[in-house]
Amino acid sequence: MTTMTETTNAARFREFKMPDVGEGLTEAEILKWFVQPGDTVTDGQVVCEVETAKAAVELPIPFDGVVHELRFGEGTTVDVGQVIIVVDVAPGSGDAAPDPAPASEAPAPAAEPEAEAEAPKGRTPVLVGYGVAESSTKRRARKGTEAAPAAASAAIQGEMNGHGTGAVVPEARPLAKPPVRKLAKDLGIDLATVSPTGEGGVITREDVHAAANPAPAPEPVQAQIPAPASAPAPSSAPAVVASMGARETRIPVKGVRKAIAQAMVGSAFTAPHVTEFVTVDVTRTMKLVAELKEDKEMAGVRVNPLLIIAKALLVAIKRHPEVNAAWDEANQEIVQKHYVNLGIAAATPRGLIVPNIKDAQEQTLPQLAASLGELVSTARDGKTSPAAMAGGTVTITNVGVFGVDTGTPILNPGESAILAVGAIKLQPWVHKGKVKPRQVTTLALSFDHRLVDGELGSKVLADVAAILEQPKRLITWA
């Protein structure tokens, strides 16, 4: 029977679940909370920033009220559909309390480890995205009889799989968030020797730093290795050897790195790659870049060789539209695209991402320059949205910025071709019958051989090279 108190609680306390912020993603990591319990929030206010497998996204709350509870801390990976925040939408109306968090969300040190393997029941559609399905990923229960290192490894892996500090942990294991564990590992600190000061016996960053920097000692090494006060000095020697002898670092595979790995493996073992190379004299292109920098029409936008290379590829695609296509395995069809969403591979602090310029074939040179500038700036700030990375047709990757001559790029999944641009260097080159110093680079074009034959791929690459050698072809061929 439903009591009046239960009905009041359900109406007063509203839960906000981790939404699917784009394209069927299954989990996200909470990077930062912008609110704390007791803060007043309004409909549409951003309450946290999360990182998905594709981008960092800010999440707005869809109702007014006072924050009652944050279910997960920063640095925790949460499955889509799990409650991340509880809001009191009718504050001051009594002493009612919300329903307790499920066992998989709330800490329960006394519970059995096997409880971690159970997913929360009764999930409902989320407020944003495609709705929630129970996660198909099941974690094996940790065995209490295993050795301590194996148990610690299994526990850390459980946090990597998306339950963070909210997961049930064995009592003998020190309580600490994944970032704190990584900090301790980097500093060579055994968490079992650290005295916790956090709520509920949780070890904090400050605890680890305190353990790493105790009172000055005669030996510098000793100052960074914590030892029990009652233990004699010789007993700390094994810990020094163990910490100084660490030869491996384990980094959780999640977020953008996880998405990159899955995409590259899927592409490499699905699309038969062919890569062709051409070395070209780009001296005239470099002169054009210098002239455009002084052009009033290009004021306020960044002009660089990548701009001309991007325009050259667009012209080559216009001359050979069959290269701008995708393979539909389910329907056994080749889908030719009558638009070009030009992807630009960008290295960011969170990993490699490939946002794209929508309908790039329609843009003038100044417009393309502005789009490239905005794309790069947004990527570096970590603000690229999932939509900006969806629907690409061809991609450019500029490995030359790292001083690399060329490479064999892997296709972005669902795309037909990717152009790698090497470093532009001054080299001896035969020009008009004489050996002269010229600006030279190497281009590499990888393409999906299921839908792009060698002849077509060669023509596209040759056209790009010809335009860079004689930029006036941007006008005569456009």
Side-chain angles (χ1 to χ4, degrees), residues 41-232:
V41 294
T42 57
D43 186 358
Q45 178 180 338
V46 173
V47 294
C48 68
E49 181 182 28
V50 301
E51 182 182 47
T52 69
K54 295 187 176 183
V57 180
E58 294 181 338
L59 298 183
I61 197 82
F63 35 78
D64 301 335
V66 175
V67 177
H68 179 80
E69 179 185 5
L70 303 181
R71 289 282 174 89
F72 297 95
E74 295 176 357
T76 306
T77 300
V78 182
D79 291 338
V80 167
Q82 283 191 282
V83 177
I84 60 174
I85 182 173
V86 179
V87 175
D88 184 351
V89 297
S93 59
D95 296 330
D99 295 333
S104 61
E105 295 180 11
E112 292 297 325
E114 285 77 4
E116 287 186 8
E118 298 181 4
K121 304 297 183 181
R123 290 180 170 176
T124 57
V126 296
L127 298 171
V128 182
Y130 302 96
V132 181
E134 291 192 359
S135 173
S136 61
T137 302
K138 300 294 182 182
R139 291 175 292 155
R140 292 179 292 181
R142 294 194 290 275
K143 298 180 180 179
T145 58
E146 293 180 356
S153 176
I156 294 173
Q157 186 61 43
E159 293 182 358
M160 294 177 194
N161 287 343
H163 296 272
T165 58
V168 181
V169 294
E171 288 187 0
R173 179 169 175 260
L175 297 176
K177 294 182 179 181
V180 177
R181 295 185 182 280
K182 182 178 185 303
L183 174 63
K185 190 169 186 178
D186 292 343
L187 296 177
I189 302 299
D190 182 0
L191 287 178
T193 67
V194 179
S195 299
T197 62
E199 184 179 353
V202 175
I203 297 173
T204 65
R205 284 180 174 272
E206 291 72 19
D207 297 334
V208 175
H209 283 300
N213 298 280
E219 293 294 331
V221 174
Q222 297 291 337
Q224 298 187 22
I225 306 300
S230 60

Side-chain angles (χ1 to χ4, degrees), residues 264 394 396:
M264 293 300 96
V394 295
I396 297 175

